[in-house]
Amino acid sequence: MHDKRLYSPNQIRDILEQHGFNFSKALGQNFLIDGNIVRKICDAAGVDENTNVLEIGPGIGTLTEELAMNAKKVVAIELDERLKPILEETLRDFENVNVIYGDCLKLDLKEIIEREFNGERISVVANLPYYVTTPILEKLFENDLPIDSITVMVQREVAMRMTAQAGAKDYSSLSVFVRFYSEPKIEFKVPNTVFMPKPKVDSAVVKMELNKSYDVDKELFFRIVKAAFSKRRKTIINALSSYEGIDKDKQSIKEILYIADIDENRRAEDLTIEEYINLTKIWDMSLKVGLLGKKRLY
Ligand code: SAM
């Protein structure tokens, strides 16, 4: 039975001192020191004895420990090899944990999931290194991995953008990106006082259920979204027709917007994901029937 818990600040300080470990700011090392938050993340992720968990950035293993106590198996990917002796000590009681050392952005996650979880479906749970939040999300969403949900702690301001709905102040291309792949929800907010060292910003835990997919040309969709948000305060017709790399034929774009039932004077930040999907389908069809001439969007 494992009874040693990691989240007392004194215990964490002792472990770090024993191993002569210094935090790396460059690697986003702000470690959790609050047992309540650790438990709440695990609960929000819905981890139980049937759950396979992929954790990114275990640090000294504070969240990993709680996950290991509740999950079927936990595989944690850690970039900083200096943490190896610490993790060997803190996680030694668990047979259902495997730590892989490497850069989550460079490793072949498909192969790791296949090998470690026999290709079974997984949940991702992490207190993310904030400097790479977006590239990590891109990697998790875009590689057709067998992921049911992603529950992550991120900077609060990023959490607001990830979950914003059309028309809201924080609605951005990141909101559309996240909603293209998932149903996102802020589970709870987290003050900066529960980390060591204390970061400047507050955080929030976001859960994304990967329960949807759109039948649309993905590349064209994201190019249109990027073009639209490149001038988010302009009208959609002006943003789309002035964007570098997009067909400049304003009259054709007007017609496409008309067919998609989108008022050309609306702005990028007011269009819902469904409207962007519909716009992409009509744009795609227009390219195929030659309405936009020979020029492709990409
Ligand atoms: N999970 C721990 C906790 O909650 O206390 C630590 C979280 S800390 C915010 C982020 C962790 O991610 C650090 O341990 C850092 O070394 C690791 N990390 C940073 N970049 C990474 C990357 N590209 N791949 C894997 N781990 C990374």
mmCIF file with all atom_site columns, all heavy atoms in Angstrom, residues 27-32 55-59 62-63 77-80 83 102-104 127-129 131-132, ligand 1:
data_model
loop_
_atom_site.group_PDB
_atom_site.id
_atom_site.type_symbol
_atom_site.label_atom_id
_atom_site.label_alt_id
_atom_site.label_comp_id
_atom_site.label_asym_id
_atom_site.label_entity_id
_atom_site.label_seq_id
_atom_site.pdbx_PDB_ins_code
_atom_site.Cartn_x
_atom_site.Cartn_y
_atom_site.Cartn_z
_atom_site.occupancy
_atom_site.B_iso_or_equiv
_atom_site.pdbx_formal_charge
_atom_site.auth_seq_id
_atom_site.auth_comp_id
_atom_site.auth_asym_id
_atom_site.auth_atom_id
_atom_site.pdbx_PDB_model_num
ATOM   1   N N   . LEU A 1 27  ? 11.818 25.148 -19.038 1.00 0.00 ? 27  LEU A N   1
ATOM   2   C CA  . LEU A 1 27  ? 10.983 23.959 -19.282 1.00 0.00 ? 27  LEU A CA  1
ATOM   3   C C   . LEU A 1 27  ? 9.608  24.082 -18.617 1.00 0.00 ? 27  LEU A C   1
ATOM   4   O O   . LEU A 1 27  ? 8.864  23.108 -18.529 1.00 0.00 ? 27  LEU A O   1
ATOM   5   C CB  . LEU A 1 27  ? 11.697 22.694 -18.776 1.00 0.00 ? 27  LEU A CB  1
ATOM   6   C CG  . LEU A 1 27  ? 12.949 22.272 -19.539 1.00 0.00 ? 27  LEU A CG  1
ATOM   7   C CD1 . LEU A 1 27  ? 13.519 20.980 -18.967 1.00 0.00 ? 27  LEU A CD1 1
ATOM   8   C CD2 . LEU A 1 27  ? 12.642 22.083 -21.019 1.00 0.00 ? 27  LEU A CD2 1
ATOM   9   N N   . GLY A 1 28  ? 9.286  25.268 -18.144 1.00 0.00 ? 28  GLY A N   1
ATOM   10  C CA  . GLY A 1 28  ? 7.962  25.497 -17.546 1.00 0.00 ? 28  GLY A CA  1
ATOM   11  C C   . GLY A 1 28  ? 7.760  24.707 -16.267 1.00 0.00 ? 28  GLY A C   1
ATOM   12  O O   . GLY A 1 28  ? 6.664  24.204 -16.003 1.00 0.00 ? 28  GLY A O   1
ATOM   13  N N   . GLN A 1 29  ? 8.817  24.574 -15.466 1.00 0.00 ? 29  GLN A N   1
ATOM   14  C CA  . GLN A 1 29  ? 8.713  23.734 -14.262 1.00 0.00 ? 29  GLN A CA  1
ATOM   15  C C   . GLN A 1 29  ? 8.122  24.475 -13.063 1.00 0.00 ? 29  GLN A C   1
ATOM   16  O O   . GLN A 1 29  ? 8.829  25.061 -12.254 1.00 0.00 ? 29  GLN A O   1
ATOM   17  C CB  . GLN A 1 29  ? 10.088 23.141 -13.925 1.00 0.00 ? 29  GLN A CB  1
ATOM   18  C CG  . GLN A 1 29  ? 10.478 22.076 -14.942 1.00 0.00 ? 29  GLN A CG  1
ATOM   19  C CD  . GLN A 1 29  ? 11.835 21.472 -14.699 1.00 0.00 ? 29  GLN A CD  1
ATOM   20  O OE1 . GLN A 1 29  ? 12.642 22.010 -13.964 1.00 0.00 ? 29  GLN A OE1 1
ATOM   21  N NE2 . GLN A 1 29  ? 12.104 20.349 -15.341 1.00 0.00 ? 29  GLN A NE2 1
ATOM   22  N N   . ASN A 1 30  ? 6.799  24.435 -12.968 1.00 0.00 ? 30  ASN A N   1
ATOM   23  C CA  . ASN A 1 30  ? 6.091  24.916 -11.783 1.00 0.00 ? 30  ASN A CA  1
ATOM   24  C C   . ASN A 1 30  ? 5.326  23.716 -11.257 1.00 0.00 ? 30  ASN A C   1
ATOM   25  O O   . ASN A 1 30  ? 4.368  23.265 -11.874 1.00 0.00 ? 30  ASN A O   1
ATOM   26  C CB  . ASN A 1 30  ? 5.131  26.054 -12.147 1.00 0.00 ? 30  ASN A CB  1
ATOM   27  C CG  . ASN A 1 30  ? 5.865  27.236 -12.752 1.00 0.00 ? 30  ASN A CG  1
ATOM   28  O OD1 . ASN A 1 30  ? 5.936  27.369 -13.965 1.00 0.00 ? 30  ASN A OD1 1
ATOM   29  N ND2 . ASN A 1 30  ? 6.447  28.075 -11.913 1.00 0.00 ? 30  ASN A ND2 1
ATOM   30  N N   . PHE A 1 31  ? 5.790  23.176 -10.131 1.00 0.00 ? 31  PHE A N   1
ATOM   31  C CA  . PHE A 1 31  ? 5.235  21.916 -9.642  1.00 0.00 ? 31  PHE A CA  1
ATOM   32  C C   . PHE A 1 31  ? 4.070  22.151 -8.679  1.00 0.00 ? 31  PHE A C   1
ATOM   33  O O   . PHE A 1 31  ? 4.082  23.086 -7.869  1.00 0.00 ? 31  PHE A O   1
ATOM   34  C CB  . PHE A 1 31  ? 6.329  21.097 -8.947  1.00 0.00 ? 31  PHE A CB  1
ATOM   35  C CG  . PHE A 1 31  ? 7.462  20.694 -9.865  1.00 0.00 ? 31  PHE A CG  1
ATOM   36  C CD1 . PHE A 1 31  ? 8.711  20.369 -9.348  1.00 0.00 ? 31  PHE A CD1 1
ATOM   37  C CD2 . PHE A 1 31  ? 7.290  20.622 -11.241 1.00 0.00 ? 31  PHE A CD2 1
ATOM   38  C CE1 . PHE A 1 31  ? 9.756  19.980 -10.187 1.00 0.00 ? 31  PHE A CE1 1
ATOM   39  C CE2 . PHE A 1 31  ? 8.316  20.245 -12.094 1.00 0.00 ? 31  PHE A CE2 1
ATOM   40  C CZ  . PHE A 1 31  ? 9.563  19.923 -11.560 1.00 0.00 ? 31  PHE A CZ  1
ATOM   41  N N   . LEU A 1 32  ? 3.078  21.290 -8.750  1.00 0.00 ? 32  LEU A N   1
ATOM   42  C CA  . LEU A 1 32  ? 1.892  21.393 -7.888  1.00 0.00 ? 32  LEU A CA  1
ATOM   43  C C   . LEU A 1 32  ? 2.245  21.033 -6.447  1.00 0.00 ? 32  LEU A C   1
ATOM   44  O O   . LEU A 1 32  ? 2.976  20.072 -6.209  1.00 0.00 ? 32  LEU A O   1
ATOM   45  C CB  . LEU A 1 32  ? 0.811  20.435 -8.386  1.00 0.00 ? 32  LEU A CB  1
ATOM   46  C CG  . LEU A 1 32  ? -0.070 20.967 -9.508  1.00 0.00 ? 32  LEU A CG  1
ATOM   47  C CD1 . LEU A 1 32  ? -0.871 19.828 -10.138 1.00 0.00 ? 32  LEU A CD1 1
ATOM   48  C CD2 . LEU A 1 32  ? -1.010 22.044 -8.989  1.00 0.00 ? 32  LEU A CD2 1
ATOM   49  N N   . GLU A 1 55  ? 0.357  10.899 -19.385 1.00 0.00 ? 55  GLU A N   1
ATOM   50  C CA  . GLU A 1 55  ? 0.632  12.186 -18.744 1.00 0.00 ? 55  GLU A CA  1
ATOM   51  C C   . GLU A 1 55  ? 1.826  12.829 -19.444 1.00 0.00 ? 55  GLU A C   1
ATOM   52  O O   . GLU A 1 55  ? 2.803  12.146 -19.788 1.00 0.00 ? 55  GLU A O   1
ATOM   53  C CB  . GLU A 1 55  ? 0.959  12.000 -17.246 1.00 0.00 ? 55  GLU A CB  1
ATOM   54  C CG  . GLU A 1 55  ? 1.086  13.359 -16.551 1.00 0.00 ? 55  GLU A CG  1
ATOM   55  C CD  . GLU A 1 55  ? 1.682  13.295 -15.135 1.00 0.00 ? 55  GLU A CD  1
ATOM   56  O OE1 . GLU A 1 55  ? 2.088  12.217 -14.679 1.00 0.00 ? 55  GLU A OE1 1
ATOM   57  O OE2 . GLU A 1 55  ? 1.751  14.370 -14.505 1.00 0.00 ? 55  GLU A OE2 1
ATOM   58  N N   . ILE A 1 56  ? 1.738  14.142 -19.646 1.00 0.00 ? 56  ILE A N   1
ATOM   59  C CA  . ILE A 1 56  ? 2.874  14.848 -20.257 1.00 0.00 ? 56  ILE A CA  1
ATOM   60  C C   . ILE A 1 56  ? 3.503  15.729 -19.190 1.00 0.00 ? 56  ILE A C   1
ATOM   61  O O   . ILE A 1 56  ? 2.819  16.555 -18.579 1.00 0.00 ? 56  ILE A O   1
ATOM   62  C CB  . ILE A 1 56  ? 2.395  15.680 -21.465 1.00 0.00 ? 56  ILE A CB  1
ATOM   63  C CG1 . ILE A 1 56  ? 1.856  14.734 -22.536 1.00 0.00 ? 56  ILE A CG1 1
ATOM   64  C CG2 . ILE A 1 56  ? 3.543  16.525 -22.033 1.00 0.00 ? 56  ILE A CG2 1
ATOM   65  C CD1 . ILE A 1 56  ? 0.957  15.385 -23.527 1.00 0.00 ? 56  ILE A CD1 1
ATOM   66  N N   . GLY A 1 57  ? 4.781  15.527 -18.936 1.00 0.00 ? 57  GLY A N   1
ATOM   67  C CA  . GLY A 1 57  ? 5.505  16.337 -17.952 1.00 0.00 ? 57  GLY A CA  1
ATOM   68  C C   . GLY A 1 57  ? 5.168  15.994 -16.514 1.00 0.00 ? 57  GLY A C   1
ATOM   69  O O   . GLY A 1 57  ? 4.533  16.787 -15.814 1.00 0.00 ? 57  GLY A O   1
ATOM   70  N N   . PRO A 1 58  ? 5.591  14.823 -16.001 1.00 0.00 ? 58  PRO A N   1
ATOM   71  C CA  . PRO A 1 58  ? 5.260  14.440 -14.618 1.00 0.00 ? 58  PRO A CA  1
ATOM   72  C C   . PRO A 1 58  ? 5.990  15.240 -13.546 1.00 0.00 ? 58  PRO A C   1
ATOM   73  O O   . PRO A 1 58  ? 5.589  15.197 -12.382 1.00 0.00 ? 58  PRO A O   1
ATOM   74  C CB  . PRO A 1 58  ? 5.686  12.967 -14.555 1.00 0.00 ? 58  PRO A CB  1
ATOM   75  C CG  . PRO A 1 58  ? 6.736  12.818 -15.606 1.00 0.00 ? 58  PRO A CG  1
ATOM   76  C CD  . PRO A 1 58  ? 6.347  13.766 -16.705 1.00 0.00 ? 58  PRO A CD  1
ATOM   77  N N   . GLY A 1 59  ? 7.069  15.939 -13.908 1.00 0.00 ? 59  GLY A N   1
ATOM   78  C CA  . GLY A 1 59  ? 7.822  16.695 -12.895 1.00 0.00 ? 59  GLY A CA  1
ATOM   79  C C   . GLY A 1 59  ? 8.417  15.746 -11.890 1.00 0.00 ? 59  GLY A C   1
ATOM   80  O O   . GLY A 1 59  ? 9.128  14.801 -12.243 1.00 0.00 ? 59  GLY A O   1
ATOM   81  N N   . THR A 1 62  ? 3.997  14.345 -8.716  1.00 0.00 ? 62  THR A N   1
ATOM   82  C CA  . THR A 1 62  ? 2.891  14.666 -7.793  1.00 0.00 ? 62  THR A CA  1
ATOM   83  C C   . THR A 1 62  ? 1.534  14.234 -8.354  1.00 0.00 ? 62  THR A C   1
ATOM   84  O O   . THR A 1 62  ? 0.759  13.540 -7.683  1.00 0.00 ? 62  THR A O   1
ATOM   85  C CB  . THR A 1 62  ? 2.873  16.186 -7.495  1.00 0.00 ? 62  THR A CB  1
ATOM   86  O OG1 . THR A 1 62  ? 4.208  16.593 -7.243  1.00 0.00 ? 62  THR A OG1 1
ATOM   87  C CG2 . THR A 1 62  ? 1.997  16.501 -6.316  1.00 0.00 ? 62  THR A CG2 1
ATOM   88  N N   . LEU A 1 63  ? 1.257  14.642 -9.596  1.00 0.00 ? 63  LEU A N   1
ATOM   89  C CA  . LEU A 1 63  ? -0.008 14.252 -10.235 1.00 0.00 ? 63  LEU A CA  1
ATOM   90  C C   . LEU A 1 63  ? 0.040  12.773 -10.655 1.00 0.00 ? 63  LEU A C   1
ATOM   91  O O   . LEU A 1 63  ? -0.955 12.049 -10.539 1.00 0.00 ? 63  LEU A O   1
ATOM   92  C CB  . LEU A 1 63  ? -0.253 15.167 -11.453 1.00 0.00 ? 63  LEU A CB  1
ATOM   93  C CG  . LEU A 1 63  ? -1.485 14.932 -12.308 1.00 0.00 ? 63  LEU A CG  1
ATOM   94  C CD1 . LEU A 1 63  ? -2.766 15.035 -11.487 1.00 0.00 ? 63  LEU A CD1 1
ATOM   95  C CD2 . LEU A 1 63  ? -1.542 15.963 -13.453 1.00 0.00 ? 63  LEU A CD2 1
ATOM   96  N N   . ILE A 1 77  ? 5.463  11.101 -19.979 1.00 0.00 ? 77  ILE A N   1
ATOM   97  C CA  . ILE A 1 77  ? 6.579  11.516 -20.837 1.00 0.00 ? 77  ILE A CA  1
ATOM   98  C C   . ILE A 1 77  ? 7.231  12.756 -20.232 1.00 0.00 ? 77  ILE A C   1
ATOM   99  O O   . ILE A 1 77  ? 6.557  13.786 -20.036 1.00 0.00 ? 77  ILE A O   1
ATOM   100 C CB  . ILE A 1 77  ? 6.076  11.843 -22.260 1.00 0.00 ? 77  ILE A CB  1
ATOM   101 C CG1 . ILE A 1 77  ? 5.461  10.590 -22.892 1.00 0.00 ? 77  ILE A CG1 1
ATOM   102 C CG2 . ILE A 1 77  ? 7.219  12.383 -23.124 1.00 0.00 ? 77  ILE A CG2 1
ATOM   103 C CD1 . ILE A 1 77  ? 4.855  10.818 -24.257 1.00 0.00 ? 77  ILE A CD1 1
ATOM   104 N N   . GLU A 1 78  ? 8.515  12.650 -19.917 1.00 0.00 ? 78  GLU A N   1
ATOM   105 C CA  . GLU A 1 78  ? 9.217  13.773 -19.269 1.00 0.00 ? 78  GLU A CA  1
ATOM   106 C C   . GLU A 1 78  ? 10.474 14.116 -20.075 1.00 0.00 ? 78  GLU A C   1
ATOM   107 O O   . GLU A 1 78  ? 11.284 13.246 -20.388 1.00 0.00 ? 78  GLU A O   1
ATOM   108 C CB  . GLU A 1 78  ? 9.578  13.410 -17.827 1.00 0.00 ? 78  GLU A CB  1
ATOM   109 C CG  . GLU A 1 78  ? 10.429 14.430 -17.087 1.00 0.00 ? 78  GLU A CG  1
ATOM   110 C CD  . GLU A 1 78  ? 9.834  15.839 -17.048 1.00 0.00 ? 78  GLU A CD  1
ATOM   111 O OE1 . GLU A 1 78  ? 8.738  16.026 -16.503 1.00 0.00 ? 78  GLU A OE1 1
ATOM   112 O OE2 . GLU A 1 78  ? 10.473 16.768 -17.599 1.00 0.00 ? 78  GLU A OE2 1
ATOM   113 N N   . LEU A 1 79  ? 10.632 15.385 -20.364 1.00 0.00 ? 79  LEU A N   1
ATOM   114 C CA  . LEU A 1 79  ? 11.782 15.830 -21.160 1.00 0.00 ? 79  LEU A CA  1
ATOM   115 C C   . LEU A 1 79  ? 13.063 15.931 -20.333 1.00 0.00 ? 79  LEU A C   1
ATOM   116 O O   . LEU A 1 79  ? 14.158 15.650 -20.818 1.00 0.00 ? 79  LEU A O   1
ATOM   117 C CB  . LEU A 1 79  ? 11.436 17.197 -21.800 1.00 0.00 ? 79  LEU A CB  1
ATOM   118 C CG  . LEU A 1 79  ? 12.515 17.914 -22.588 1.00 0.00 ? 79  LEU A CG  1
ATOM   119 C CD1 . LEU A 1 79  ? 13.028 17.047 -23.732 1.00 0.00 ? 79  LEU A CD1 1
ATOM   120 C CD2 . LEU A 1 79  ? 11.972 19.215 -23.169 1.00 0.00 ? 79  LEU A CD2 1
ATOM   121 N N   . ASP A 1 80  ? 12.913 16.301 -19.044 1.00 0.00 ? 80  ASP A N   1
ATOM   122 C CA  . ASP A 1 80  ? 14.084 16.614 -18.229 1.00 0.00 ? 80  ASP A CA  1
ATOM   123 C C   . ASP A 1 80  ? 14.636 15.353 -17.536 1.00 0.00 ? 80  ASP A C   1
ATOM   124 O O   . ASP A 1 80  ? 14.095 14.898 -16.521 1.00 0.00 ? 80  ASP A O   1
ATOM   125 C CB  . ASP A 1 80  ? 13.672 17.665 -17.188 1.00 0.00 ? 80  ASP A CB  1
ATOM   126 C CG  . ASP A 1 80  ? 14.874 18.221 -16.444 1.00 0.00 ? 80  ASP A CG  1
ATOM   127 O OD1 . ASP A 1 80  ? 15.979 17.676 -16.618 1.00 0.00 ? 80  ASP A OD1 1
ATOM   128 O OD2 . ASP A 1 80  ? 14.692 19.203 -15.695 1.00 0.00 ? 80  ASP A OD2 1
ATOM   129 N N   . LEU A 1 83  ? 15.271 14.593 -13.757 1.00 0.00 ? 83  LEU A N   1
ATOM   130 C CA  . LEU A 1 83  ? 14.217 14.154 -12.838 1.00 0.00 ? 83  LEU A CA  1
ATOM   131 C C   . LEU A 1 83  ? 14.188 12.638 -12.655 1.00 0.00 ? 83  LEU A C   1
ATOM   132 O O   . LEU A 1 83  ? 13.441 12.117 -11.826 1.00 0.00 ? 83  LEU A O   1
ATOM   133 C CB  . LEU A 1 83  ? 12.851 14.653 -13.341 1.00 0.00 ? 83  LEU A CB  1
ATOM   134 C CG  . LEU A 1 83  ? 12.618 16.159 -13.205 1.00 0.00 ? 83  LEU A CG  1
ATOM   135 C CD1 . LEU A 1 83  ? 11.479 16.629 -14.090 1.00 0.00 ? 83  LEU A CD1 1
ATOM   136 C CD2 . LEU A 1 83  ? 12.298 16.503 -11.742 1.00 0.00 ? 83  LEU A CD2 1
ATOM   137 N N   . GLY A 1 102 ? 11.916 11.975 -22.918 1.00 0.00 ? 102 GLY A N   1
ATOM   138 C CA  . GLY A 1 102 ? 12.030 12.492 -24.272 1.00 0.00 ? 102 GLY A CA  1
ATOM   139 C C   . GLY A 1 102 ? 11.110 13.685 -24.435 1.00 0.00 ? 102 GLY A C   1
ATOM   140 O O   . GLY A 1 102 ? 10.346 14.027 -23.527 1.00 0.00 ? 102 GLY A O   1
ATOM   141 N N   . ASP A 1 103 ? 11.194 14.302 -25.602 1.00 0.00 ? 103 ASP A N   1
ATOM   142 C CA  . ASP A 1 103 ? 10.377 15.484 -25.900 1.00 0.00 ? 103 ASP A CA  1
ATOM   143 C C   . ASP A 1 103 ? 9.048  15.020 -26.497 1.00 0.00 ? 103 ASP A C   1
ATOM   144 O O   . ASP A 1 103 ? 9.024  14.414 -27.572 1.00 0.00 ? 103 ASP A O   1
ATOM   145 C CB  . ASP A 1 103 ? 11.150 16.359 -26.909 1.00 0.00 ? 103 ASP A CB  1
ATOM   146 C CG  . ASP A 1 103 ? 10.437 17.662 -27.197 1.00 0.00 ? 103 ASP A CG  1
ATOM   147 O OD1 . ASP A 1 103 ? 9.226  17.759 -26.901 1.00 0.00 ? 103 ASP A OD1 1
ATOM   148 O OD2 . ASP A 1 103 ? 11.088 18.574 -27.708 1.00 0.00 ? 103 ASP A OD2 1
ATOM   149 N N   . CYS A 1 104 ? 7.991  15.331 -25.792 1.00 0.00 ? 104 CYS A N   1
ATOM   150 C CA  . CYS A 1 104 ? 6.653  14.919 -26.228 1.00 0.00 ? 104 CYS A CA  1
ATOM   151 C C   . CYS A 1 104 ? 6.370  15.389 -27.664 1.00 0.00 ? 104 CYS A C   1
ATOM   152 O O   . CYS A 1 104 ? 5.644  14.742 -28.404 1.00 0.00 ? 104 CYS A O   1
ATOM   153 C CB  . CYS A 1 104 ? 5.661  15.500 -25.237 1.00 0.00 ? 104 CYS A CB  1
ATOM   154 S SG  . CYS A 1 104 ? 4.072  15.817 -25.869 1.00 0.00 ? 104 CYS A SG  1
ATOM   155 N N   . ASN A 1 127 ? -0.483 18.624 -16.283 1.00 0.00 ? 127 ASN A N   1
ATOM   156 C CA  . ASN A 1 127 ? -0.264 20.022 -15.932 1.00 0.00 ? 127 ASN A CA  1
ATOM   157 C C   . ASN A 1 127 ? 0.792  20.462 -16.940 1.00 0.00 ? 127 ASN A C   1
ATOM   158 O O   . ASN A 1 127 ? 1.970  20.194 -16.771 1.00 0.00 ? 127 ASN A O   1
ATOM   159 C CB  . ASN A 1 127 ? 0.236  20.095 -14.484 1.00 0.00 ? 127 ASN A CB  1
ATOM   160 C CG  . ASN A 1 127 ? 0.716  21.473 -14.098 1.00 0.00 ? 127 ASN A CG  1
ATOM   161 O OD1 . ASN A 1 127 ? 0.461  22.450 -14.794 1.00 0.00 ? 127 ASN A OD1 1
ATOM   162 N ND2 . ASN A 1 127 ? 1.432  21.562 -12.987 1.00 0.00 ? 127 ASN A ND2 1
ATOM   163 N N   . LEU A 1 128 ? 0.315  21.061 -18.024 1.00 0.00 ? 128 LEU A N   1
ATOM   164 C CA  . LEU A 1 128 ? 1.204  21.263 -19.185 1.00 0.00 ? 128 LEU A CA  1
ATOM   165 C C   . LEU A 1 128 ? 2.293  22.296 -18.946 1.00 0.00 ? 128 LEU A C   1
ATOM   166 O O   . LEU A 1 128 ? 2.072  23.291 -18.253 1.00 0.00 ? 128 LEU A O   1
ATOM   167 C CB  . LEU A 1 128 ? 0.372  21.737 -20.385 1.00 0.00 ? 128 LEU A CB  1
ATOM   168 C CG  . LEU A 1 128 ? -0.456 20.704 -21.138 1.00 0.00 ? 128 LEU A CG  1
ATOM   169 C CD1 . LEU A 1 128 ? -1.119 21.374 -22.343 1.00 0.00 ? 128 LEU A CD1 1
ATOM   170 C CD2 . LEU A 1 128 ? 0.367  19.517 -21.594 1.00 0.00 ? 128 LEU A CD2 1
ATOM   171 N N   . PRO A 1 129 ? 3.464  22.055 -19.568 1.00 0.00 ? 129 PRO A N   1
ATOM   172 C CA  . PRO A 1 129 ? 4.454  23.137 -19.617 1.00 0.00 ? 129 PRO A CA  1
ATOM   173 C C   . PRO A 1 129 ? 3.864  24.239 -20.505 1.00 0.00 ? 129 PRO A C   1
ATOM   174 O O   . PRO A 1 129 ? 3.585  23.997 -21.682 1.00 0.00 ? 129 PRO A O   1
ATOM   175 C CB  . PRO A 1 129 ? 5.673  22.473 -20.274 1.00 0.00 ? 129 PRO A CB  1
ATOM   176 C CG  . PRO A 1 129 ? 5.184  21.200 -20.887 1.00 0.00 ? 129 PRO A CG  1
ATOM   177 C CD  . PRO A 1 129 ? 3.898  20.832 -20.235 1.00 0.00 ? 129 PRO A CD  1
ATOM   178 N N   . TYR A 1 131 ? 4.792  26.883 -21.975 1.00 0.00 ? 131 TYR A N   1
ATOM   179 C CA  . TYR A 1 131 ? 5.440  27.449 -23.168 1.00 0.00 ? 131 TYR A CA  1
ATOM   180 C C   . TYR A 1 131 ? 5.183  26.618 -24.433 1.00 0.00 ? 131 TYR A C   1
ATOM   181 O O   . TYR A 1 131 ? 5.424  27.079 -25.529 1.00 0.00 ? 131 TYR A O   1
ATOM   182 C CB  . TYR A 1 131 ? 6.954  27.607 -22.930 1.00 0.00 ? 131 TYR A CB  1
ATOM   183 C CG  . TYR A 1 131 ? 7.746  26.310 -22.972 1.00 0.00 ? 131 TYR A CG  1
ATOM   184 C CD1 . TYR A 1 131 ? 8.619  26.044 -24.034 1.00 0.00 ? 131 TYR A CD1 1
ATOM   185 C CD2 . TYR A 1 131 ? 7.614  25.343 -21.978 1.00 0.00 ? 131 TYR A CD2 1
ATOM   186 C CE1 . TYR A 1 131 ? 9.340  24.846 -24.082 1.00 0.00 ? 131 TYR A CE1 1
ATOM   187 C CE2 . TYR A 1 131 ? 8.322  24.158 -22.021 1.00 0.00 ? 131 TYR A CE2 1
ATOM   188 C CZ  . TYR A 1 131 ? 9.182  23.918 -23.075 1.00 0.00 ? 131 TYR A CZ  1
ATOM   189 O OH  . TYR A 1 131 ? 9.878  22.740 -23.136 1.00 0.00 ? 131 TYR A OH  1
ATOM   190 N N   . VAL A 1 132 ? 4.682  25.405 -24.271 1.00 0.00 ? 132 VAL A N   1
ATOM   191 C CA  . VAL A 1 132 ? 4.396  24.580 -25.445 1.00 0.00 ? 132 VAL A CA  1
ATOM   192 C C   . VAL A 1 132 ? 2.944  24.069 -25.477 1.00 0.00 ? 132 VAL A C   1
ATOM   193 O O   . VAL A 1 132 ? 2.655  23.045 -26.093 1.00 0.00 ? 132 VAL A O   1
ATOM   194 C CB  . VAL A 1 132 ? 5.358  23.379 -25.577 1.00 0.00 ? 132 VAL A CB  1
ATOM   195 C CG1 . VAL A 1 132 ? 6.658  23.770 -26.227 1.00 0.00 ? 132 VAL A CG1 1
ATOM   196 C CG2 . VAL A 1 132 ? 5.593  22.695 -24.244 1.00 0.00 ? 132 VAL A CG2 1
HETATM 197 N N1  . SAM B 2 .   ? 3.135  17.352 -13.470 1.00 0.00 ? 1   SAM B N1  1
HETATM 198 C C1  . SAM B 2 .   ? 4.003  18.081 -12.574 1.00 0.00 ? 1   SAM B C1  1
HETATM 199 C C2  . SAM B 2 .   ? 3.192  18.806 -11.532 1.00 0.00 ? 1   SAM B C2  1
HETATM 200 O O1  . SAM B 2 .   ? 2.000  19.036 -11.812 1.00 0.00 ? 1   SAM B O1  1
HETATM 201 O O2  . SAM B 2 .   ? 3.699  19.142 -10.494 1.00 0.00 ? 1   SAM B O2  1
HETATM 202 C C3  . SAM B 2 .   ? 4.920  19.035 -13.328 1.00 0.00 ? 1   SAM B C3  1
HETATM 203 C C4  . SAM B 2 .   ? 4.259  20.031 -14.244 1.00 0.00 ? 1   SAM B C4  1
HETATM 204 S S1  . SAM B 2 .   ? 5.359  21.245 -14.898 1.00 0.00 ? 1   SAM B S1  1
HETATM 205 C C5  . SAM B 2 .   ? 4.208  22.568 -15.194 1.00 0.00 ? 1   SAM B C5  1
HETATM 206 C C6  . SAM B 2 .   ? 5.693  20.730 -16.572 1.00 0.00 ? 1   SAM B C6  1
HETATM 207 C C7  . SAM B 2 .   ? 6.615  19.525 -16.742 1.00 0.00 ? 1   SAM B C7  1
HETATM 208 O O3  . SAM B 2 .   ? 6.750  19.258 -18.144 1.00 0.00 ? 1   SAM B O3  1
HETATM 209 C C8  . SAM B 2 .   ? 8.034  19.707 -16.236 1.00 0.00 ? 1   SAM B C8  1
HETATM 210 O O4  . SAM B 2 .   ? 8.405  18.572 -15.486 1.00 0.00 ? 1   SAM B O4  1
HETATM 211 C C9  . SAM B 2 .   ? 8.900  19.806 -17.502 1.00 0.00 ? 1   SAM B C9  1
HETATM 212 O O5  . SAM B 2 .   ? 10.211 19.329 -17.329 1.00 0.00 ? 1   SAM B O5  1
HETATM 213 C C10 . SAM B 2 .   ? 8.099  18.950 -18.467 1.00 0.00 ? 1   SAM B C10 1
HETATM 214 N N2  . SAM B 2 .   ? 8.278  19.290 -19.908 1.00 0.00 ? 1   SAM B N2  1
HETATM 215 C C11 . SAM B 2 .   ? 8.553  20.506 -20.454 1.00 0.00 ? 1   SAM B C11 1
HETATM 216 N N3  . SAM B 2 .   ? 8.601  20.431 -21.794 1.00 0.00 ? 1   SAM B N3  1
HETATM 217 C C12 . SAM B 2 .   ? 8.319  19.135 -22.122 1.00 0.00 ? 1   SAM B C12 1
HETATM 218 C C13 . SAM B 2 .   ? 8.238  18.417 -23.353 1.00 0.00 ? 1   SAM B C13 1
HETATM 219 N N4  . SAM B 2 .   ? 8.415  19.039 -24.523 1.00 0.00 ? 1   SAM B N4  1
HETATM 220 N N5  . SAM B 2 .   ? 7.979  17.090 -23.323 1.00 0.00 ? 1   SAM B N5  1
HETATM 221 C C14 . SAM B 2 .   ? 7.790  16.453 -22.128 1.00 0.00 ? 1   SAM B C14 1
HETATM 222 N N6  . SAM B 2 .   ? 7.855  17.083 -20.920 1.00 0.00 ? 1   SAM B N6  1
HETATM 223 C C15 . SAM B 2 .   ? 8.121  18.397 -20.911 1.00 0.00 ? 1   SAM B C15 1
#
